[in-house]
Amino acid sequence: MKQTLFIVGARGAGKTTIGKLLAEALSYKFVDTDESVQSSSQMSIAALVEQNGWEYFRKLEGQILKTVSQHEHVISTGGGMVLAPENRLYMQQNGTVIYLQASAEVLARRLSLNPENSQRPSLTGKSITEEIEAVLVERELLYHECADFIVDASLATEDIVFSVKSYILNQKK
């Protein structure tokens, strides 16, 4: 049975990078919900949040999740996708949820090296490390709650892809 894979995790965990490689390895299509939100709204996430607020963004993000979910797709979700109980339930009922777990230190290091993150508004107004620690405290249990498989996101990219692919292929037996 072909399935839908949802990749969850904090900003900087590698959801997009791993998702693209995993989709290629499984011959699935790849979708990034953040990119889909920006495409459908014709504005950056920062502009969308500034104009309409986080609540609007989260609602749109949940709608996009349902729109893009199809069999043989790897879907990289926004870091906060798990905040809405209906999103967690939807992913659990409609596919396999992979949690890319990483420490605050690993995430902060990756985000500080990635200039693209300036496009994403701060959730707390704190430094990157403080913000990530606060976000992980808030979301870690939610990631665990909906995850079918948890993988250490600090591993080498190819090891993560191999681990997830092995898990998926063993699920089909």
Side-chain angles (χ1 to χ4, degrees), residues 15-95:
K15 297 181 301 287
T16 300
T17 300
I18 297 300
K20 286 177 180 175
L21 292 170
L22 192 57
E24 189 178 309
L26 294 167
S27 298
Y28 281 19
K29 287 190 169 46
F30 174 76
V31 178
D32 182 306
T33 60
D34 281 350
E35 287 177 12
S36 297
V37 164
Q38 292 178 94
S39 176
S40 77
S41 67
Q42 296 294 301
M43 60 177 77
S44 70
I45 291 173
L48 189 66
V49 169
E50 188 178 318
Q51 234 173 57
N52 303 289
W54 278 108
E55 190 175 328
Y56 176 84
F57 168 73
R58 294 290 178 216
K59 185 177 177 187
L60 180 58
E61 181 181 55
Q63 292 168 350
I64 292 285
L65 176 69
K66 293 171 183 73
T67 304
V68 300
S69 296
Q70 295 179 40
H71 287 302
E72 297 187 42
H73 278 59
V74 174
I75 299 166
S76 168
T77 65
M81 187 68 77
V82 298
L83 292 172
E86 61 271 17
N87 291 344
R88 294 192 306 275
L89 184 63
Y90 180 85
M91 290 187 290
Q92 289 173 301
Q93 291 178 341
N94 292 281

Side-chain angles (χ1 to χ4, degrees), residues 1-16:
M1 182 190 110
K2 296 290 185 179
Q3 59 187 315
T4 306
L5 303 180
F6 298 99
I7 301 181
V8 300
R11 247 179 23 173
K15 297 181 301 287
T16 300

Side-chain angles (χ1 to χ4, degrees), residues 138-156:
E138 177 189 20
R139 298 179 185 170
E140 186 74 20
L141 285 173
L142 302 176
Y143 290 134
H144 277 271
E145 177 189 309
C146 66
D148 293 300
F149 185 66
I150 299 169
V151 64
D152 180 352
S154 66
L155 296 172

Side-chain angles (χ1 to χ4, degrees), residues 152-172:
D152 180 352
S154 66
L155 296 172
T157 310
E158 55 274 8
D159 293 338
I160 296 170
V161 172
F162 178 80
S163 180
V164 174
K165 183 179 176 184
S166 297
Y167 173 78
I168 297 306
L169 295 176
N170 286 324
Q171 291 298 103
K172 294 179 181 181

